[in-house]
């Protein structure tokens, strides 16, 4: 019984270490999305932040203000979604598909 | 012993229900950040998405392309940070400060 318990604890510690390693890795891994045929491109990290945004310079004009804004909101959210999917996919590899409780603030 | 176990399970289920409720609430709660004295403002949800971005129309000019882009990246990341802080603060109220394991995909 004591052996089983220390085995379980060792496994939990190993899993925790793997999760911490993955969190660090995700901060540097990126995804890129493109909206409106490349008018706006957004690069997000697996840590759920925006690394860079590209806006077609020819498109930056006061008359396009509303469209630019919409494309940026769309691109940023798509990139965050994609980054989250990437992080969750990598997490599943570690947890072996075990459904983890949904807790905030990991990525 | 059996009573204690069913008690624990009931508490865990209640906590899970509270977390689910909070997740839904966070999708509608927003934070707003302003950069460069309001040239760019970003509204993010507690669910870690961007709801809206405002760019000062007088500032939208090809000559400002680089600055606009930097301000948006800065504003979006600040807003995401603030939104995460809000969600984590609300989560702590539920979990009573108990440090939850860091798991992806909650907010």
């Amino acid at each position: 019984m004591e052996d089983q318990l220390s085995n379980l604890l060792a496994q939990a510690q190993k899993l925790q270490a793997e999760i911490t390693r993955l969190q660090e890795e995700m901060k540097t891994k990126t995804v890129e999305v493109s909206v409106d045929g490349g008018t706006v491109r957004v690069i997000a990290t697996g840590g759920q932040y925006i690394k860079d945004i590209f806006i077609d310079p020819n498109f930056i004009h006061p008359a396009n203000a509303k469209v630019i804004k919409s494309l940026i909101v769309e691109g940023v959210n798509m990139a965050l979604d994609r980054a989250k999917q990437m992080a969750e996919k990598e997490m599943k590899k570690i947890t072996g598909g075990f459904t983890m409780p949904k807790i905030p603030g990991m990525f």
Side-chain angles (χ1 to χ4, degrees), chain A:
Chain A
M1 177 64 189
E2 210 169 297
D3 267 9
Q4 281 178 3
L5 189 64
S6 54
N7 231 325
L8 191 67
L9 281 174
Q11 278 180 40
Q13 277 170 354
K14 202 183 147 201
L15 183 63
Q16 186 59 56
E18 276 289 287
I19 289 173
T20 303
R21 183 198 57 73
L22 181 62
Q23 281 180 299
E24 288 307 310
E25 190 189 318
M26 283 299 116
K27 285 178 189 167
T28 60
K29 272 207 160 186
T30 56
V31 293
E32 179 173 340
V33 304
S34 179
V35 286
D36 192 41
T39 306
V40 169
R41 287 184 297 131
V42 182
I43 297 175
T45 72
Q48 294 288 295
Y49 285 103
I50 299 305
K51 194 175 177 189
D52 217 342
I53 290 177
F54 301 93
I55 309 164
D56 182 344
N58 299 318
F59 200 73
I60 300 180
H61 187 276
N64 295 330
K66 274 197 181 176
V67 186
I68 290 175
K69 166 193 134 141
S70 296
L71 291 177
I72 292 171
V73 172
E74 187 189 341
V76 166
N77 286 337
M78 267 177 67
L80 290 172
D81 241 357
R82 201 73 62 82
K84 196 186 274 185
Q85 284 166 21
M86 172 178 71
E88 286 175 354
K89 198 177 154 192
E90 293 301 315
M91 181 56 62
K92 269 193 189 150
K93 286 184 194 166
I94 290 179
T95 61
F98 170 67
T99 309
M100 304 290 277
K102 294 265 181 188
I103 303 299
M106 173 150 201
F107 290 116

